[in-house]
Amino acid sequence: MSYYGFVVTDSGRELIAKLVAGQQLPISKIMVGSGTIPDDVKPAAMTALVEPVAAGTSTAPVYDGASVRMIVEYRSDLNGGLDHGFWLREFGVFAFDPDKGEVLIYYGTLGDYPQYVSAASNTGVDVRRFPVCIVIGEGLGVTVDYKCEAWMTAEDVEQYCSVTMLPAFLKEAQKLVDAHNDDEEAHHPIQNSISDVSARLALLELMFNTSVTGNPFTVTFETLDGTVVEGVWNTTAKRIEF
């Protein structure tokens, strides 16, 4: 029975041990292959893929304060399209070691459970994804030297929309609502209705709170037709202001 599993290699552990606070793990590339690890070789001792086939990609690595997490992905449409199908049995994550150059820091082998990747075609894209977690310690970080072109799954899109986009949308929408409410030129019908109610209320107060002994009458200045007045005509409040 062949090995199955994903491990940080000896070269990876050596590189991580060299990192000091403030430095970043420089991931250089992702590779997938069809080779089978020899029975007498441990996965952690691997320094290269047994039979590399093509370059892969990944999601953008996320450093959570101690670990680097990402999804390694291979698709049949990458690198111009896969011209022939193959059994994906292994993958590797590479990084730059300042003393050794590019080294294999993470190795995955599917053992007796390889996955067949079909050649590129117009009928669809064959996608293979594998989770990766590399513990590197606190106070560090990660960089990549390739394009992170992994597709978003439906779950990724849902989480991005609800966690990232929705709060940002609500914040911007509230800014627009606040600006609209503060605009003196907004809500003309409502403002006119309020002014009309205020004028009528003031008229009622005048009628019932004023002692009138002669002939009572009321005047509103909704229109100035046939009237000569001095002052400023407030058309909204329907009154003359002095």
Side-chain angles (χ1 to χ4, degrees):
M1 179 178 292
S2 301
Y3 285 109
Y4 180 96
F6 311 150
V7 298
V8 176
T9 65
D10 294 337
S11 296
R13 295 182 185 280
E14 182 180 345
L15 173 58
I16 293 170
K18 295 178 183 179
L19 298 177
V20 297
Q23 290 186 323
Q24 297 182 321
L25 179 65
I27 298 177
S28 58
K29 68 181 180 183
I30 306 293
M31 292 293 296
V32 297
S34 59
T36 301
I37 184 172
D39 292 337
D40 59 344
V41 177
K42 294 182 179 180
M46 295 295 291
T47 58
L49 269 61
V50 177
E51 190 176 340
V53 173
T57 186
S58 73
T59 57
V62 176
Y63 176 61
D64 63 7
S67 303
V68 173
R69 301 177 186 275
M70 61 183 180
I71 301 294
V72 165
E73 179 177 283
Y74 181 73
R75 303 194 312 269
S76 58
D77 67 330
L78 290 176
N79 313 310
L82 182 65
D83 59 5
H84 65 281
F86 72 99
W87 285 99
L88 195 159
R89 294 186 173 91
E90 58 179 347
F91 70 87
V93 179
F94 292 78
F96 285 109
D97 185 310
D99 300 319
K100 297 181 178 180
E102 192 172 62
V103 296
L104 177 66
I105 65 168
Y106 192 90
Y107 181 74
T109 173
L110 304 185
D112 296 326
Y113 304 95
Q115 299 182 13
Y116 188 76
V117 183
S118 302
S121 70
N122 295 328
T123 59
V125 178
D126 204 345
V127 184
R128 306 296 166 178
R129 295 164 62 91
F130 308 98
V132 169
C133 177
I134 304 175
V135 178
I136 63 174
E138 298 180 356
L140 303 175
V142 60
T143 61
V144 294
D145 195 35
Y146 58 89
K147 290 184 178 180
C148 297
E149 299 178 308
W151 282 355
M152 296 179 72
T153 64
E155 292 77 11
D156 293 334
V157 173
E158 180 181 7
Q159 182 179 23
Y160 180 74
C161 289
S162 60
V163 176
T164 303
M165 293 300 297
L166 181 58
F169 171 79
L170 293 176
K171 183 178 180 180
E172 291 302 316
Q174 188 60 53
K175 288 181 181 179
L176 295 175
V177 171
D178 293 341
H180 180 70
N181 289 337
D182 293 338
D183 185 359
E184 295 182 356
E185 298 300 320
H187 306 294
H188 282 296
I190 296 177
Q191 291 183 10
N192 291 338
S193 297
I194 293 175
S195 297
D196 184 58
V197 171
S198 297
R200 296 173 68 181
L201 179 60
L203 179 59
L204 288 173
E205 291 177 341
L206 178 64
M207 293 173 60
F208 292 100
N209 293 336
T210 303
S211 177
V212 179
T213 58
N215 294 322
F217 65 91
T218 59
V219 176
T220 63
F221 293 97
E222 184 174 356
T223 176
L224 295 184
D225 293 345
T227 305
V228 178
V229 298
E230 294 183 359
V232 178
W233 181 28
N234 186 328
T235 57
T236 301
K238 302 175 183 178
R239 65 189 181 193
I240 303 299
E241 298 176 349
F242 300 93

